[in-house]
Amino acid sequence: MSTVTRANLVEHLYSRVGLSRHDSSMILESLLGVISDRLEAGESVKLSGFGTFSVRQKGERIGRNPKTGVEVPILPRAVLVFRPSQLLRDRMNGSDNGAAAEASTHDR
């Protein structure tokens, strides 16, 4: 198993769609830019059949240094959250329900 990189995605676009590597790279960068911009603006990004990316605000809380046991404040921050779609969950778990749901959406 390997990590999927931008280069892998560009190569996949190049081989599957038939665009040049440069055009494939530009499309990928544009797509990632739109997703990043929306998340920075605090909006959710839903990719149907894949999942939803959203930003969640975590409040200030008290943490503990595991080595010393000393309590330290953890400042408020924004965290990126991904929630997979049911279709993706079904595919990950080897269920045929996802394939049936996907087939029914393509028939419409």
Side-chain angles (χ1 to χ4, degrees):
M1 183 183 305
S2 64
T3 301
V4 176
T5 64
R6 287 179 182 205
N8 296 135
L9 294 172
V10 167
E11 192 61 32
H12 190 78
L13 277 173
Y14 166 73
S15 64
R16 288 281 180 106
V17 180
L19 297 172
S20 71
R21 283 186 174 91
H22 179 264
D23 289 345
S24 297
S25 177
M26 296 299 289
I27 288 172
L28 178 62
E29 292 303 322
S30 178
L31 177 65
L32 294 175
V34 169
I35 292 170
S36 296
D37 291 346
R38 295 294 184 253
L39 291 169
E40 278 184 54
E43 299 175 29
S44 292
V45 176
K46 180 177 182 180
L47 302 174
S48 184
F50 184 71
T52 303
F53 294 92
S54 58
V55 177
R56 186 170 69 96
Q57 299 297 323
K58 292 182 83 172
E60 185 173 352
R61 63 190 195 280
I62 300 297
R64 188 178 307 274
N65 181 329
K67 198 169 192 175
T68 64
V70 175
E71 290 186 349
V72 293
I74 299 173
L75 300 175
R77 62 190 172 136
V79 294
L80 181 62
V81 179
F82 175 72
R83 180 177 163 93
S85 71
Q86 188 61 50
L87 183 64
L88 181 59
R89 283 185 226 174
D90 289 344
R91 287 183 64 188
M92 298 305 301
N93 291 314
S95 171
D96 289 335
N97 295 341
E102 184 176 3
S104 69
T105 59
H106 289 295
D107 294 341
R108 292 181 189 168

